[in-house]
Each structure stands twice: as C-alpha cells, then as structure tokens.
Amino acid sequence: MRLPLLALVCCAVMAWQHCAAEAAKARHFKWEISNMFWSPDCEEKVVIGINGQFPGPTIRARAGDTIHVQLKNALHTEGVVIHWHGIRQIGTPWADGTAAISQCAINPEETFTYRFVVDKPGTYFYHGHYGMQRAAGLYGSLIVDVAEGEEEPFKYDGELNLLLSDWYHESIHTQMVALSSKPFRWIGEPQSLLINGRGQLNCSLAAAHTPWVNQCAAAVNRQCAPVVFPVQPNKTYRLRVASTTSLASLNLAIGNHKLTVVEADGNYVDPFVVDDIDLYSGDSYSVLLTTDQDTSSNYWVSVGVRGRQPKTAPALAVLNYRPNRASKLPAVAPPVTPAWDDYDHSKAFTYRIRARAGTAPPPPTADRRIELLNTQNRMDGHIKWSINNASMVLPATPYLGSLKMGLKSTLAAARPAETFSRGYNVTLPPPNPNTTVGDNVYVLAHNTTVDVVLQNANALSRNVSEVHPWHLHGHDFWVLGYGDGAYRGDAADEARLNLRDPPLRNTVVIFPYGWTLLRFVADNPGVWAFHCHIEPHLHMGMGVIFAEAVDLVGKVPNEAVSCGATATALMAGGHL
Amino acid sequence: MRLPLLALVCCAVMAWQHCAAEAAKARHFKWEISNMFWSPDCEEKVVIGINGQFPGPTIRARAGDTIHVQLKNALHTEGVVIHWHGIRQIGTPWADGTAAISQCAINPEETFTYRFVVDKPGTYFYHGHYGMQRAAGLYGSLIVDVAEGEEEPFKYDGELNLLLSDWYHESIHTQMVALSSKPFRWIGEPQSLLINGRGQLNCSLAAAHTPWVNQCAAAVNRQCAPVVFPVQPNKTYRLRVASTTSLASLNLAIGNHKLTVVEADGNYVDPFVVDDIDLYSGDSYSVLLTTDQDTSSNYWVSVGVRGRQPKTAPALAVLNYRPNRASKLPAVAPPVTPAWDDYDHSKAFTYRIRARAGTAPPPPTADRRIELLNTQNRMDGHIKWSINNASMVLPATPYLGSLKMGLKSTLAAARPAETFSRGYNVTLPPPNPNTTVGDNVYVLAHNTTVDVVLQNANALSRNVSEVHPWHLHGHDFWVLGYGDGAYRGDAADEARLNLRDPPLRNTVVIFPYGWTLLRFVADNPGVWAFHCHIEPHLHMGMGVIFAEAVDLVGKVPNEAVSCGATATALMAGGHL
C-alpha cells in the first residue's frame, strides 16, 4: 500500500515542477567579486565591485523565477557572502547569504552558487553581509516583475531605479577596528550620499543656489557624474527606490512633483500621496510620479539626511524632461530636506503606510511575545549595542549547519531574555551601563505566530535616542503599531495596534524613545537574522537570531557548511 | 612474527620520544591576531598585531623543543596563517604556515594550533604568509638557543635583538589592489624603516647632522620612540639581526664598531669581520660586536636602503654605553649607508659568506638541475613576474592536502619548464613580453639532490634588473656559487662553484643580471614554496612550488585541509 502512495506523491510533485518550469525561468548569473579602485564621489578609494562594476549588476526577474548566481570570491584574503534583501528564501535558508548564520563565508578563489526562487514581485536589493562589506560598496538592485501574464495593481509608462547609499572615505577595515577599539572611536557621518553609486564630494549641481560650493563640471569622471533620469512629459513613472546606507536615514523629494507610494519592501500598500519619502537603511519603496509639470524645465531629484544631525551634503540628480537637454539645470533651488529631527514629519509618513485593500490580514492573536529592549552599553572598555542586555556576537561556525547537526557546543545553553523590566525608564541612560556578550538565539516553534516588541531607549549619553531600522530575514512581518515611551501592553498600547490593514514589511523603524510592535508567522524553517540595518550598529552587536524549526530544513549543501565545527563533524563521518 | 616486530619498533619509538621529552621542552603560546591602531613611525595606521603587540611576541626556545602556538584569528573578515621562517618543519609540513600551499587559511574566529620542533639553534623569525599580511606588520622574532648542555661555537656576554622592517602608509588592501590593477600601479618605496617595529617619520635622532629634518622629541609616543640598546663597555655582544621587509634591501652599520659575522639563517659561518652587513628580505645573521670604543660616548646604529634608489630615510637607534645616559647622542654623524647601486660592495659581502669549518659538505653531484629564469612580463594588461615564463597563481585548495589526497583536478597537467633558452639575452627586456598563469609545481623525487639555477634578467624597461632574495621553505640549501650574466653551465661557470665550504642558507640573493646556483637534498616530504621574499614580487607571481614525496607525508590534521576540494572530498567520505 505504501509504495503506490509514495509514487503518486512523487508524480504529483514532478508534475507541479514541470508545470512551474513552464511558467518560470531559471536565470543564470556569473559574478566575480573583487576589490578595485573606484571614485563614487570623485575621490578614489578601494571598493568591492562585482564583475568590475560598482554598484553591482542589477538582477531583473519575474516572480516565480529561480535565480542562480555563481559567485567567485576574487578578494585577496577576505571571505564574502551576498544577502538577497527581502527575498524570503522559502525552503532555501542556506542561500540567505549571512556569514556565520546561514553559511560559511566563501573563501578567496572559491565559488558558491546561490539558487533561490524570487516568489514575490517587488523592489529588492542585495548586499554583502559579512563584517561591514556592504559599506565597502558590495550592493546592487534586484527587481522582480509580476509573473508572466499577471499585472501590477497600478499603471505606469516607465520605470526609474534609484539605489541610494552613503559613502565613507575610511576603509571598512579601519572602521571595523575603530568601532571595536578601546577607547571606542565612532566612524562619524558619511562624506557623501550616492544615487546609483554616484555622488559629488567637492561640487554641487545646484551651486547656483549654494554659492559656497563649486559647480560640478560636466562629466569630468564618469564614475561620479551626476545621474540624469530622462522622462517624457505627461507620463507616469514608477520610481523604485531603495536605501542600502551604512548609517544615514534619507529623505527623497523631487522638485514640483508629488509622489504616490504604492509598494514598500516588496508589498503593495494602500496608495497615498506625499511630497517626500523617508527611507531608512534597508527600506525599499515604489512611488509613482506623473510628469505633469512645465515641460520646458528639468527638475531636481534631491536626497538628504534625516534622523541624525547631517554633516553630509544632499545628493542631487536631474529629472530630465525630454527633449530638454540634460544639462539644463532647474532655475529654482532643490527641495529642502525636512529638518533632521522633525520626527513628527517622519512619523506622519511612516504611520500612513498601510496594506493595500485585499491583502490578507494578520492572525488575530500571537502565540508568543518577544520584547527586545535596545540599549547602548559598555563592555570591558568597548561600546556596544545590546538587546535585553546582551550584545550579539556571531560564532565561528554558522548557526544553520551547527543547529541542523545538533552541535550543541556551538550554542550557549542559556535562553536569552524575552522581556525587560516593566519599570525600565527609557528616557534615561541605562541604569546598568554594562553589558555582556550573548548569542541571542531565540528558538521559534514551527508555524507559531510571534509578536516582537522593539523597544527603543536612551543611549549612554543623556538626551540621546537614535533611530534604528530593524530588518528581518526569511520573512515579511506585519507592522501592527508604534508608540512613544515604554511599551506596557496595556489597553492604551493595545488601542494603538492596527489589526485591520497593517503593512507587510521586512524592515521597520523604531523612533527615538519609542516602540514598534510587529507580528510574523514562523513558517519558514531556517536560521534568520533580525537586526538593526545600520552597519556600525550591527557590528556593535545590535541584533538577534531566530532559529526556526531547523529539524525541518532540507539538505544543506556541503559548500554552506564546509568550515568550523560542521566541517570537522562532517569530515569525521557526521551527516547533515 | 609480524606483531612482535611491530611491538619492538613501537617500543623503540616510545623510548626515543620519552628520551627526547626529558631533554627538550614543550613551549606553549596562546596568540590572538587582530587589527589594531598603531603608530610604528609615529603616524597611525591599522596594523595586524598579536595579543595587542606590534611586532608580535618573541618566541625563545632551545634546539629540540616543541613549539605549540594556539592561534586565534580575531580579524573581522580575513583569513590568516603564520610561517616560521627558517624552521624546516621536518615531519610537520602542515605547520609551515603558507596559505594555499601547506594549509587552509584560518578563518575569522577559528583557532589553529601550530606544533613543530625547532631542531636547530639560530636566529629566525615568523610572519604572515597570506596575501601581503606580512607587510601589515604580522611578524616577530623566533630565537633558538643551543640545546641544554651544548655550547655555541663562539663566546659572548650578552645579546641584542634587531628585527628590521620597512613600513608603508598605504594599507596592504590598497597595495594588493594596486599591484593587481589594470593599468598596473607600483606601490613605491616605503615611508619608513623600522627597528624592532619603531621608526621616526618626520624627525631624526641625528638631526644635528641632517639639518633639514627635526630633532625627535623625547618619547612623544612610546610606539615610535627610538630604540636604545644598552651595553656595558668591554664586553662582546651577539647581535641577532633579521630582515622582514616588504621591499627594501638593507644595510646595517654601527658607528666606530666592527662586526664579526658568525651565523646566517640559522647556520654557523666561517667568522669574518666587516664594517657593515647587507640584509635582504628574509635574511638573518648573528654578528659579534665588542664594546671596545671610547666609553664616554654612545654610538649610532644605522640602517639604510640598498639595491633600489632610496627614498626612505635611514633608521637610527642608539648603542648606549652604560652608564652614559641613553639620550646622550653621538657627536659624530651616523655611518653612511654604501651607495644603493654599489653592487661590488654587496657582492664582496655576500661572496665572503662560507660555512664554518667542520660543517658537512654538500653532495658532490646533483641528480637534477632546475633552471629558473626570472623575468618581468605583461599579462592581459597586468604586470607580472614570471619564472620560465609562467607567473605563479596559488590555488583555492592548498597543495599539501590536494596532492596528498590525489585530487588531480587541482593540479595542472603540464609540467613546468625547467630550463630556459641557451640563447636568452639577460641584458635586454624579454623578447616575448607576455606571460601566462602557471601553477609552477615541480615534483621532486624523495632524497634526490637538486640543483637550482636562479637566473636574473632585465625587467620590462631597458637597463633595469633588480635584486631578488629567494627563500626556500622546508630546507636549507648550499649556495654553491654566483655569476654575472647568463648561466651557461660551462667550465667557466663550473669554476665559480664552491663545493668545499658553501654556506647553508634558506634565503639567497640574485644580483642584477646575474645567477646564483644552489643545491639541496629533497629529504623532507611536503609541499614547499620557493619564492622571491619581496612581498609585492611574490604577489605578482614570483615563485614556484616544490612537491616532495607527498606520499610519505604523515596524517595531515583535518584543520589544515578543511576548505576547498579537500573539505569536499573528506565530507564525501574520502580519507587523507
């Protein structure tokens, strides 16, 4: 009786695969990652490039396609991985590209093939996820169109792609040493902002309106030439905007034009119209823009810093109404970025984001609530970020392999705390300024619904609380609500939650002194990072790990576990 | 019959081990390697330190001791290895510390234990051997005294240790990118010379005699404070001097004092007296100095550049005749380094080095002669150094493991050339300026005697031929002779060979346009690098690999092969 049944299941699976293969494509990419000289903001430094390009090549696919990236590490002495930000990696947790979590870093001269399905249309990007390699320029766009024959729920005539980043002149090696030093050295604010990998350090396109800087000469250096977006009048464009900054929170505005937000992090949202949008590191949006303004003019695309006192000039690009010359600069000054500390403006935008009508609502209740108090602390002369007073340090052997193989020695026995003291005063520096190292692994039962309260607090200095954009791997989550002050879980806090049309995201901000509550279903076996997307904050320990039904993870490829304790165990005859 | 015989052998081995254990010691070291800020020449940069020190801690042992270095890699994203320069690693080829050759690079957060016997007294050092990590400051001294109860063949009252290096302000990451770039970018001359890790960039101890620079203030920064060597008058000191420069060839002189050379690369030499000694990168010497000068004065220790037009100020230290104050500077100017291109001076020193009387002579004949023509070439827009027109590139999987496991795919099928055209004109640029990538593996039969002719030639530019110090791993070799022009192997060349008392070395120089002939016995199963010790030259491909009786190598520890194709094979059930 059992064999025929099994055969039947196999046939059904094969038929489905065959069917899917007809609709979806395998898309193959062959990449080589190397250090190279580049001048993103007209000042040369060593960047991490892909196939000699910075930023890396754009991947474009359709929902349901399988992406194959055969990645060769041509760095001289450094390992590398690539994370596909926003792709949930359902069934392929070893392709998530997080060093020490989902896979062994790819050694120099080695090749690793990432294979994964892009199951959902949207605006994504990819980036390095080892040390601070993202901040060295290891990133690019990943755009997923709707499946063949399907349609987006909004219309547009063309697309513009804006991958935003910030740029430092210090090497990431120096930055990592600085952040790990005793005494601590902060990396400071970025030197430049980049649009599609290009910025201008010592000149401005809008020098006519900012007379203390020089006018940029035309195309002195192609690597840092200002970006021009050519458009036709009276059309609607979809701007795909993503931020892969190391530190900066950004704001984007386009002179004279309104923006209609239609997508956030690969999820459709209830459309709404704004003058400008905020982007925290890790965010992506689609906004629609209609070229309905005076056709004789070009318009500014302006990107400025928010959330920290800016010491970095805005990045500018030109929205070029054809057939005007691209070099015809707008007569008026670029849009002014809202004040960096105008959090009311930020909240108005963020709170306005809701799921598009027709999106399935979240489960009405959760099985578990994990509260994560974000504090800044000292540890043996270092400065760290901590979650419930434990600062995350990643292990030598990646979690996915070691947990799958049951190598208990690689995991600390103690369960991390999942609540914080009800009396904690978030408006003051931490009463206990000291923290300890933690592995911060939360084990989640399969298919349970988990609520996470991200609680912001005062940093070590009085009257300082920073913005932190938290990014979850392997999942989208519903953002149920936000609040100021300490989360108490009382009726007033409950009243702030939106269970009707909360947006699905993979990145969410916590505002200074505030909290954010999100919900997700632990339905994707794997080991997933959940962390502040600010690169120096993650380096300083601001993250946790969710280990989810690791026993249900399929066969992990050997290449993902050929290091550390998993390699030792497998070489001794162990099995995955 | 077989069991008792086996038991007998075992007992004999155990008895010997027991016996050896009584005489020799196990010396344990626990090291952590990390990047840190340091100011070797008073300008701060990121260096690679060991246990927070630069240079790394000095290892001191007795001949016959076993060294155990438990090495933790605390770099953020880079692998690391340590090579024990001059230690032959008899029976422990996996402990030679050459990435991609003898072992897998140690991944961040991983620990690897080097265990090896220091079988021979002498002046050695250790250094990184992955990418250009040596040039980032990853080095230190390794000094082996004679075994307990034995005596050195010369007398002295005290010791001074001088580990010499050069120093660049560019990071090695930038340097590696530069050297690998199209178009090629040369790294230039070092900014400073260091004595025991200390130099002075913008000041000089001898400013009184070089009025265009500032006098160094007293102990502004301990990390770059001038080195003082306190000595008692009318004593004899053994100066242990080693050069771990990235590029520079050096000359050491001590004001008013003669130097008696007694040891070279851990081998006793026929003592001879000189005013100054040349040190090429990879060389080490012991010289005796008698403090027989005017006791009211201190004296200069001066280290300058030779072999390349110097753009780097000499390094100075003070030989402090006690009880004079250390700050009492010599009244006269420091010794002047011989002209950089006075090769007659260099040759006079080098040719004078002969084995100490009583040293066993070399085998009178060789079984094989390998000629290695050193040329500079172009390859696809890059500049490379080539050996017999192949530029060495190291594989993803280290040779020792892959050859031991018989993974033929990791080794190119073609045997590298072992001679060059008799008509090759070494005084002109290469007639074929192009080269190709090679794996340059020479397979040597066990216990055969091998002659190597290192043939220098003109570089790509006319009238340029550089000094190259070649270093052999796993062996000492006899330096049989040197000559100018092309080696022809004729009677005149034969007449230049010294079979009576050639010195044993592990590093030997080839002079511009000249040749050097050396001989060694392939009696140490393993895979051994043989390469120019100039860090940028090695990076540009100037080396070959000797694979020697790999079938006779003992069990390679798993930690040395847990990467690449060997890890894959072992995880699939393969055996070493």
Side-chain angles (χ1 to χ4, degrees), chain A residues 44 77-79 108 110 185 564, chain B residues 44 77-79 108 110 130 185 564:
Chain A
E44 187 184 75
T77 54
E78 288 176 79
E110 292 281 3
R185 300 191 195 180
Chain B
E44 187 184 75
T77 54
E78 289 176 77
E110 292 281 3
Y130 189 30
R185 301 192 194 178

Side-chain angles (χ1 to χ4, degrees), chain B residues 226-515:
Chain B
V227 175
V228 173
F229 295 104
V231 290
Q232 299 295 332
N234 298 310
K235 302 281 184 187
T236 294
Y237 289 86
R238 178 182 190 170
L239 277 60
R240 296 181 180 269
V241 195
S243 171
T244 179
T245 53
S246 178
L247 174 68
S249 301
L250 302 177
N251 181 275
L252 168 77
I254 298 178
N256 290 43
H257 290 76
K258 298 280 183 188
L259 306 171
T260 304
V261 182
V262 292
E263 181 218 339
D265 297 356
N267 294 288
Y268 299 121
V269 302
D270 180 41
F272 63 102
V273 179
V274 289
D275 290 321
D276 58 89
I277 66 169
D278 281 338
L279 292 106
Y280 303 96
S281 180
D283 279 348
S284 67
Y285 291 98
S286 284
V287 296
L288 301 181
L289 168 147
T290 300
T291 48
D292 53 7
Q293 297 299 303
D294 175 2
T295 60
S296 71
S297 177
N298 290 333
Y299 298 89
W300 294 116
V301 176
S302 176
V303 177
V305 172
R306 305 211 63 218
R308 305 179 64 90
Q309 191 150 25
K311 293 176 181 163
T312 316
L316 294 175
V318 172
L319 188 73
N320 171 214
Y321 270 49
R322 301 296 295 163
N324 297 326
R325 280 175 299 110
S327 58
K328 183 177 185 183
L329 297 179
V332 296
V336 174
T337 305
W340 70 273
D341 56 355
D342 181 356
Y343 290 112
D344 289 340
H345 187 97
S346 305
K347 290 173 185 175
F349 174 74
T350 300
Y351 295 176
R352 179 64 191 80
I353 302 166
R354 291 195 287 272
R356 188 174 184 91
T359 308
T365 58
D367 300 306
R368 179 174 176 186
R369 174 185 292 159
I370 297 172
E371 299 174 357
L372 302 176
L373 173 66
N374 293 225
T375 56
Q376 197 183 39
N377 303 78
R378 297 180 197 286
M379 190 174 71
D380 181 30
H382 301 278
I383 305 259
K384 296 286 178 186
W385 287 98
S386 315
I387 305 307
N388 297 346
N389 220 38
S391 186
M392 185 174 75
V393 170
L394 294 174
T397 305
Y399 283 121
L400 181 63
S402 61
L403 293 178
K404 183 92 196 299
M405 292 190 75
L407 306 176
K408 299 269 187 247
S409 63
T410 61
L411 188 59
R415 281 180 56 177
E418 52 189 276
T419 188
F420 59 94
S421 157
R422 276 287 78 88
Y424 190 92
N425 189 337
V426 301
T427 66
L428 294 176
N432 172 15
N434 299 314
T435 190
T436 52
V437 161
D439 67 3
N440 297 17
V441 176
Y442 293 84
V443 178
L444 306 183
H446 190 45
N447 280 332
T448 53
T449 300
V450 179
D451 277 0
V452 175
V453 178
L454 285 164
Q455 178 65 59
N456 210 342
N458 197 97
L460 279 167
S461 305
R462 279 180 180 270
N463 299 317
V464 174
S465 183
E466 299 181 14
V467 160
H468 302 287
W470 277 73
H471 171 63
L472 178 60
H473 292 234
H475 301 269
D476 288 330
F477 49 73
W478 291 274
V479 184
L480 298 192
Y482 303 85
D484 296 328
Y487 177 79
R488 293 200 157 68
D490 56 14
D493 285 347
E494 292 290 324
R496 296 190 61 85
L497 304 187
N498 168 15
L499 287 163
R500 198 173 46 85
D501 59 357
L504 275 166
R505 304 292 303 258
N506 60 54
T507 304
V508 72
V509 65
I510 50 175
F511 288 111
Y513 301 109
W515 56 265

Side-chain angles (χ1 to χ4, degrees), chain A residues 31 36 120 148 160 254 350 353 405 431 455 462 568:
Chain A
W31 287 0
M36 59 184 194
K120 213 159 50 83
E148 191 80 49
L160 305 175
I254 297 179
T350 299
I353 303 167
M405 292 189 75
Q455 178 66 58
R462 278 181 180 270
T568 303

Side-chain angles (χ1 to χ4, degrees), chain A residues 35 37 44 46 76-79 107-110 130 173 176-178 180-181 185 396 539 558 562 564 570-571, chain B residues 35 37 44 46 76-79 107-110 130 173-174 176-178 180-181 185 396 539 558 562 564 570-571:
Chain A
N35 278 315
F37 291 112
E44 187 184 75
V46 172
H76 291 111
T77 54
E78 288 176 79
N107 285 327
E109 295 302 306
E110 292 281 3
Y130 189 31
H173 299 99
M176 289 191 286
V177 177
S180 304
S181 282
R185 300 191 195 180
H539 184 83
N558 275 351
S562 62
L570 288 166
M571 291 195 297
Chain B
N35 277 314
F37 291 112
E44 187 184 75
V46 171
H76 291 111
T77 54
E78 289 176 77
N107 286 327
E109 295 302 306
E110 292 281 3
Y130 189 30
H173 299 99
T174 302
M176 289 190 285
V177 177
S180 303
S181 282
R185 301 192 194 178
H539 184 83
N558 275 352
S562 62
L570 289 165
M571 291 195 297

Side-chain angles (χ1 to χ4, degrees), chain B residues 9-44:
Chain B
V9 172
C10 285
C11 289
V13 168
M14 288 178 71
W16 174 84
Q17 282 179 334
H18 182 68
C19 172
E22 279 187 341
K25 274 192 185 154
R27 295 185 189 265
H28 292 266
F29 302 88
K30 204 168 172 178
W31 286 0
E32 186 167 295
I33 291 190
S34 66
N35 277 314
M36 58 185 195
F37 291 112
W38 204 266
S39 305
D41 64 356
C42 304
E43 181 162 311
E44 187 184 75

Side-chain angles (χ1 to χ4, degrees), chain A residues 33 45 62-63 72 164 212 248 273 280 328 355 364 380 424 436 452 454 466 468 482 545:
Chain A
I33 291 190
K45 65 171 266 195
R62 285 190 177 275
K72 182 181 170 188
L164 308 180
W212 55 91
V273 179
Y280 303 96
K328 183 176 184 183
D380 182 30
Y424 191 91
T436 53
V452 176
L454 286 164
E466 299 181 14
H468 302 287
Y482 303 85
I545 302 292

